[in-house]
Amino acid sequence: MAGRTGRVTATDVAKEAGVSQTTVSYVLNDVPHQKISEQTRRRVLDAVAKLGYKPSAAARALRLGRSDLVLMFLPDVPVGGTLTALVELLGDELERHGLNLVTRRERHAPLKSLWQELMPAAVMSAFEVSAEDVAAMRAAGIHVVSAGMGPAAAPGVLTIPQTFIGAMQVERLADTGHVRLGYAAPGDPRLRDFLALRLEGARTACAERGLEPPVLLDVPLDIAAAAAAAEQWHSADPAVTGVCAYNDETAFALLAGMRRVGLSAPGDLAVIGVDNDKLAPFAMPPLTTIDNNLDVVVGRAARMIVSGVTGRALPSSPQVTPLSLIVRESA
């Protein structure tokens, strides 16, 4: 075997272990009710380790009657810490159920061409999918889960209500005495759909409390631009005293810009972000933020995917909005 080239097969493992190929299959797939001695099982596993055998994904799909791939189709948005963490957590959770996560971005290829090429067991889209696409995938035997950003839940849709985020930010600032608010928007136009919903939530919350709508300014990841926005809010009449930032990155930029022009949080401008970035406690001052609680989101997504692919019902968790306020010094 030392001179072998090419892919190692189950037949090679059977020869090395001195057993039949059927026995190899039984051992590797842990088939129940088979009278295979521990000694034989050990010979097979030792042969697998010695030869570096890896089962064929195609053969496994034929055996199971389905693929083990889950395609996560991502929107064309900046890949920040939150999206990276979401993909990592979901990949780990699906792996526990024998499923493998692959990700693709919208700008690289349309969804239809991707699922037709990969023929995954399931597709999860990080945005709502058209009814036509959903029908085509389901007709091909693919389970579909999409993520909705609005407040209303629908079958097969994982709801992550963006409007609640803006409302929670306003509630925190209003509860701490701020009556004239600003909203720090990201400079990237690819985030406009998320921004529109979060801003809608902030405006609605202001109206419910009898406050003027938040003063909207762009705060790109540029200290000079962030400093100009901070000065504009601070010098307004009446002055803006609290700012809802689109996300923690935007909040970090705003805090840096404030320091450049001698303003401080929360005394001159209270600042609240979104995402509970791992660097939020190390901001100057530590950043108050809204935590998306990705573990809750991932748990729901995994249950929807696994139950749809395998037909097994997984334990459910209470259907609560996966958002929580993390209070630190900035607001």
Side-chain angles (χ1 to χ4, degrees), residues 18 40 43 69 81 142 177 199 202 218 276 283:
T40 299
R43 287 210 315 273
L69 297 181
I142 298 172
L199 184 57
D218 279 346
N276 196 22

Side-chain angles (χ1 to χ4, degrees), residues 53-142:
Y53 172 69
K54 295 186 182 301
S56 163
R60 184 168 62 251
L62 287 172
R63 184 179 69 252
L64 296 174
R66 60 170 172 82
S67 164
D68 65 358
L69 297 181
V70 174
L71 169 62
M72 186 173 186
F73 196 52
L74 302 173
D76 183 20
V77 298
V79 180
T82 298
L83 187 56
T84 300
L86 176 63
V87 171
E88 182 178 345
L89 288 170
L90 183 58
D92 289 347
E93 185 63 27
L94 291 177
E95 190 174 342
R96 295 189 184 99
H97 298 278
L99 298 171
N100 291 302
L101 184 68
V102 293
T103 61
R104 294 293 186 275
R105 297 182 69 185
E106 182 182 15
R107 68 179 179 180
H108 293 155
L111 176 57
K112 183 177 181 180
S113 65
L114 284 172
W115 71 256
Q116 287 181 337
E117 177 183 350
L118 295 174
M119 287 305 294
V123 167
M124 179 175 178
S125 175
F127 51 90
E128 294 186 51
V129 178
S130 72
E132 182 181 357
D133 278 336
V134 170
M137 286 186 283
R138 287 177 176 165
I142 298 172

Side-chain angles (χ1 to χ4, degrees), residues 216-229:
L216 177 67
L217 294 176
D218 279 346
V219 179
L221 300 182
D222 176 85
I223 294 179

Side-chain angles (χ1 to χ4, degrees), residues 82 165 168-169 248 272-277 288-297 321-328:
T82 298
I165 292 175
M168 289 178 68
Q169 290 179 298
D248 287 351
I272 180 170
V274 180
D275 289 338
N276 196 22
D277 188 282
T288 294
T289 186
I290 305 298
D291 193 332
N292 287 297
N293 292 315
L294 291 181
D295 55 337
V296 176
V297 175
T321 300
L323 300 171
S324 57
L325 173 66
I326 306 299
V327 177
R328 299 191 181 96

Side-chain angles (χ1 to χ4, degrees), residues 21-329:
Q21 191 171 339
T22 300
T23 298
V24 171
S25 178
Y26 286 161
V27 170
L28 295 183
N29 296 307
D30 200 20
V31 177
H33 312 306
Q34 298 298 321
K35 295 181 179 180
I36 299 175
S37 69
E38 184 58 33
Q39 182 181 15
T40 299
R41 185 181 301 275
R42 176 48 52 195
R43 287 210 315 273
V44 170
L45 295 178
D46 287 346
V48 167
K50 177 181 178 181
L51 300 178
Y53 172 69
K54 295 186 182 301
S56 163
R60 184 168 62 251
L62 287 172
R63 184 179 69 252
L64 296 174
R66 60 170 172 82
S67 164
D68 65 358
L69 297 181
V70 174
L71 169 62
M72 186 173 186
F73 196 52
L74 302 173
D76 183 20
V77 298
V79 180
T82 298
L83 187 56
T84 300
L86 176 63
V87 171
E88 182 178 345
L89 288 170
L90 183 58
D92 289 347
E93 185 63 27
L94 291 177
E95 190 174 342
R96 295 189 184 99
H97 298 278
L99 298 171
N100 291 302
L101 184 68
V102 293
T103 61
R104 294 293 186 275
R105 297 182 69 185
E106 182 182 15
R107 68 179 179 180
H108 293 155
L111 176 57
K112 183 177 181 180
S113 65
L114 284 172
W115 71 256
Q116 287 181 337
E117 177 183 350
L118 295 174
M119 287 305 294
V123 167
M124 179 175 178
S125 175
F127 51 90
E128 294 186 51
V129 178
S130 72
E132 182 181 357
D133 278 336
V134 170
M137 286 186 283
R138 287 177 176 165
I142 298 172
H143 182 62
V144 182
V145 174
S146 60
M149 297 185 292
V157 177
L158 177 69
T159 304
I160 307 172
Q162 300 297 302
T163 52
F164 289 0
I165 292 175
M168 289 178 68
Q169 290 179 298
V170 166
E171 288 166 5
R172 171 60 186 175
L173 293 174
D175 287 346
T176 51
H178 299 279
V179 296
R180 193 69 179 108
L181 306 182
Y183 194 98
D188 197 320
R190 294 175 294 173
L191 296 170
R192 61 182 177 274
D193 291 341
F194 290 91
L195 169 63
L197 289 169
R198 293 182 186 184
L199 184 57
E200 177 189 340
R203 286 170 171 163
T204 299
C206 283
E208 290 173 349
R209 288 176 174 259
L211 305 178
E212 292 292 321
V215 179
L216 177 67
L217 294 176
D218 279 346
V219 179
L221 300 182
D222 176 85
I223 294 179
E231 284 191 311
Q232 186 172 336
W233 277 316
H234 185 62
S235 62
D237 187 15
V240 168
T241 62
V243 177
C244 307
Y246 169 80
N247 61 10
D248 287 351
E249 287 186 353
T250 304
F252 296 153
L254 177 57
L255 291 172
M258 290 168 58
R259 289 194 297 273
R260 173 169 288 190
V261 293
L263 300 176
S264 64
D268 296 308
L269 284 175
V271 179
I272 180 170
V274 180
D275 289 338
N276 196 22
D277 188 282
K278 63 184 178 181
L279 296 178
F282 304 101
M284 295 177 59
L287 181 65
T288 294
T289 186
I290 305 298
D291 193 332
N292 287 297
N293 292 315
L294 291 181
D295 55 337
V296 176
V297 175
V298 166
R300 290 182 186 174
R303 283 191 294 275
M304 295 172 75
I305 293 168
V306 173
S307 61
V309 170
T310 67
R312 301 196 312 266
L314 298 183
S316 60
S317 61
Q319 291 297 301
V320 296
T321 300
L323 300 171
S324 57
L325 173 66
I326 306 299
V327 177
R328 299 191 181 96
E329 295 173 23

